[in-house]
Amino acid sequence: MHGRKAYELVKEFANGDKGHLKIFNNELFEQVIEECNEHHNALQSLIRKMQEEGLEVQTARNADHYGAFIHHLSLIRNKRCLMAYVHNRAEIIRELAWKVGLLHELPGEIQEKFSDLEEQYFKDHSKSLKSYMSQLSLDVNVDMVPPKDPYIKVRVLEDLGSGIILSDKSANFARHSMHFLKRTDAEQYIARGLMEELTG
């Protein structure tokens, strides 16, 4: 009561690895919403009681007034915690859409952490970005930092097979093979963890 569950929800998110999602805690989320409903009902009940007694809700200073005030503050605090939980998860989902989702489906181990609404949000956000880029004929997802060289050396981390055609060549991307590729071609595979850039 009075915000403890909402605090647990925010603390759970804050204790996670930065930029990584835990499974959406639907049970605790619903418990906080139920607590909000209880605070709302108690608040309405106290206000009705004061009005029935002929007291001015804004100016009366009795036990009912302070009880209503506590329920009101608890309700606001719970709502803020719920919004913080959803907002921070949405920011990570937007980042995932920029890094991975524009080109391919997310891996199953990431998708299973989404709630149903988050999964729809991810799809809609990715779709909007793709539509925007197609209208501009520009891939805004590459070269977030201006490159020093348009080509980079990469190592393949997982077997991608042969027949993959990139902008200027096709090659057999067997596991542990190394290639000199255009940065724009390699970035989608680096973002998905299928290749790594070799420096030095």
Side-chain angles (χ1 to χ4, degrees):
M1 198 70 170
H2 301 296
R4 189 168 289 126
K5 288 177 181 174
Y7 168 74
E8 287 173 23
L9 192 66
V10 173
K11 186 177 178 185
E12 177 190 289
F13 179 85
N15 287 342
D17 294 332
K18 187 176 172 77
H20 295 277
L21 288 176
K22 290 184 177 181
I23 292 174
F24 188 88
N25 194 335
N26 201 51
E27 182 182 344
L28 189 54
F29 195 85
E30 290 296 328
Q31 288 175 7
V32 176
I33 290 174
E34 182 59 37
E35 190 178 302
C36 285
N37 291 333
E38 290 170 12
H39 284 301
H40 178 73
N41 292 337
L43 175 62
Q44 293 300 314
S45 175
L46 288 169
I47 289 173
R48 269 194 307 274
K49 183 181 173 196
M50 291 174 71
Q51 288 171 338
E52 287 168 4
E53 292 172 357
L55 298 172
E56 179 61 43
V57 176
Q58 298 293 328
T59 58
R61 296 291 181 261
N62 61 4
D64 291 336
H65 169 81
Y66 293 111
F69 186 63
I70 288 170
H71 285 294
H72 177 69
L73 291 178
S74 297
L75 181 61
I76 290 172
R77 185 172 191 272
N78 281 354
K79 284 183 176 182
R80 290 183 69 187
C81 289
L82 288 170
M83 290 172 63
Y85 184 73
V86 170
H87 174 76
N88 285 305
R89 288 181 64 89
E91 281 189 332
I92 293 172
I93 291 167
R94 275 196 306 273
E95 267 183 43
L96 286 170
W98 276 90
K99 288 180 182 175
V100 181
L102 290 175
L103 304 165
H104 300 280
E105 287 293 314
L106 283 175
E109 63 268 13
I110 294 176
Q111 281 189 355
E112 68 188 16
K113 296 176 182 180
F114 290 176
S115 70
D116 292 339
L117 289 173
E118 286 176 332
E119 192 172 335
Q120 189 60 48
Y121 175 71
F122 173 81
K123 288 176 183 172
D124 291 345
H125 189 70
S126 297
K127 186 178 175 183
S128 296
L129 285 172
K130 286 177 188 175
S131 171
Y132 178 72
M133 289 190 304
S134 68
Q135 288 174 4
L136 292 178
S137 299
L138 175 70
D139 188 354
V140 296
N141 202 34
V142 294
D143 292 336
M144 300 303 272
V145 176
K148 294 179 182 175
D149 190 345
Y151 286 88
I152 58 172
K153 190 174 185 180
V154 296
R155 177 186 294 126
V156 179
L157 300 176
E158 290 187 30
D159 189 24
L160 300 176
S162 58
I164 295 176
I165 300 171
L166 301 176
S167 59
D168 60 351
K169 69 175 183 177
S170 68
N172 181 11
F173 293 104
R175 188 172 186 194
H176 300 300
S177 61
M178 290 188 272
H179 303 274
F180 201 59
L181 302 175
K182 277 188 174 179
R183 180 178 296 276
T184 53
D185 291 336
E187 276 191 341
Q188 60 178 302
Y189 297 103
I190 292 170
R192 290 168 49 212
L194 301 174
M195 293 181 181
E196 67 178 350
E197 183 177 359
L198 300 174
T199 55

